Amino acid sequence: MTAVVLATACALVYGTADFFGGLATRRSRLLAVVVLSQFSGLVFVAAVLSAMPGSPSVEALLWGMVAGVSGTTGLLLFYRALAAGTMSVVAPTTATTSAAVPVLFGLVSGERPALTALAGVVLALAAVLLVSRAPKGAAASAPTGPLLSALAAGAGFGGFFILVAQAPHDAGLWPLAGARTVSIALVVVLALITRRTVRPGPGALPIIAVSGVLDMLANMLYLLAAQRGLLSLVAVLVSLYPATTILLARFVLRERLRRLQMGGVVMALAAVALIATG
């Protein structure tokens, strides 16, 4: 039950972080958003590390670093898709892919959830698909570029979920420190090579900082959930984060949502209940 609560909370925080990330990419250049949000997340995890149980080890840091490469690739592609596409379409597309990869990995590696939990997994994936339905007219006019970027971003996030969960359970949050350090280094190098500025746009810095802190908080919740539950269940619960994103997009940005999307939100809640009882 603890893993279910942590994973569900993670989905709520991830969805909110992605909403702020999408807003930030509309006010600043992509690399500026990524570098500054990642840095704010690193400062946050550094402040929390001393208060959390766990000790650093070479194995934990290495798993975190490898996961950081995968996650950073996914993040760059995801923010690129958010900036060019419709937020309520891009986020669920990425989530579907990022859920499928670790769920399949967990099942192949020998995880055997209860039947009710498996039913919840199926319902959750269906919920994400419903949530991903675009408003009328959007699907026909949506460019393929953002969609492909969203799919690739999902693969990167799925790889992050798998890799960071391989770190020793007694490592605490140290794998996230390794992941975030590598991600910042990669993006800074990319900025230097491409000679692109990392200066935020006017008024964008607070939004970027909030996005980075929330993203790291979600990573913490995910790691704690993965240490206490099955990867195939935790990952699919985390993948429900687009429900938060689309609701924020609906009420803050006034993006139109179809009834199927709202039905997907209801199905997501039912999926959480099934997985919790399993």
Side-chain angles (χ1 to χ4, degrees), residues 20-253:
F20 279 98
L23 291 180
T25 56
R26 298 180 182 185
R27 303 187 182 190
S28 293
R29 293 182 180 274
L30 173 63
L31 285 181
V33 174
V34 174
V35 170
L36 296 174
S37 65
Q38 295 285 287
F39 181 76
S40 64
L42 180 61
V43 172
F44 179 62
V45 74
V48 174
L49 274 175
S50 60
M52 296 292 291
S55 57
S57 67
V58 174
E59 183 181 2
L61 293 175
L62 285 178
W63 277 115
M65 290 178 181
V66 176
V69 174
S70 181
T72 302
T73 303
L75 187 64
L76 288 169
L77 292 168
F78 182 65
Y79 279 171
R80 178 181 180 184
L82 282 176
T86 303
M87 185 181 294
S88 56
V89 176
V90 168
T93 301
T94 302
T96 305
T97 310
S98 66
V101 172
V103 167
L104 290 174
F105 176 85
L107 294 176
V108 170
S109 61
E111 291 185 356
R112 295 296 180 265
L115 289 179
T116 52
L118 283 175
V121 169
V122 174
L123 189 62
L125 292 174
V128 174
L129 289 174
L130 286 181
V131 169
S132 68
R133 296 296 296 271
K136 287 185 178 180
S141 60
T144 57
L147 181 60
L148 293 176
S149 294
L151 290 170
F157 290 148
F160 173 85
F161 290 147
I162 294 172
L163 293 167
V164 77
Q166 307 309 306
H169 288 183
D170 60 356
L173 300 178
W174 281 98
L176 297 179
R180 190 50 53 94
T181 301
V182 167
S183 66
I184 292 175
L186 288 175
V187 180
V188 169
V189 169
L190 179 61
L192 291 174
I193 293 175
T194 59
R195 296 182 179 181
R196 295 183 180 180
T197 181
V198 294
R199 180 179 299 176
L205 186 57
I207 299 175
I208 295 173
V210 169
S211 174
V213 170
L214 289 175
D215 180 68
M216 178 53 73
L217 176 59
N219 287 338
M220 293 176 181
L221 292 169
Y222 167 75
L223 185 58
L224 293 175
Q227 292 170 350
R228 291 163 173 77
L230 298 179
L231 178 63
S232 55
L233 299 184
V234 168
V236 78
L237 285 174
V238 171
S239 74
L240 297 174
Y241 70 83
T244 305
T245 306
I246 67 163
L247 289 175
L248 288 171
R250 168 66 181 88
F251 292 109
V252 178
L253 302 181

Side-chain angles (χ1 to χ4, degrees), residues 254-273:
R254 303 299 180 186
E255 290 189 2
R256 292 185 177 182
L257 302 179
R258 299 179 66 180
R259 290 182 179 179
L260 285 177
Q261 289 180 299
M262 296 308 299
V265 174
V266 175
M267 289 179 64
L269 295 175
V272 172

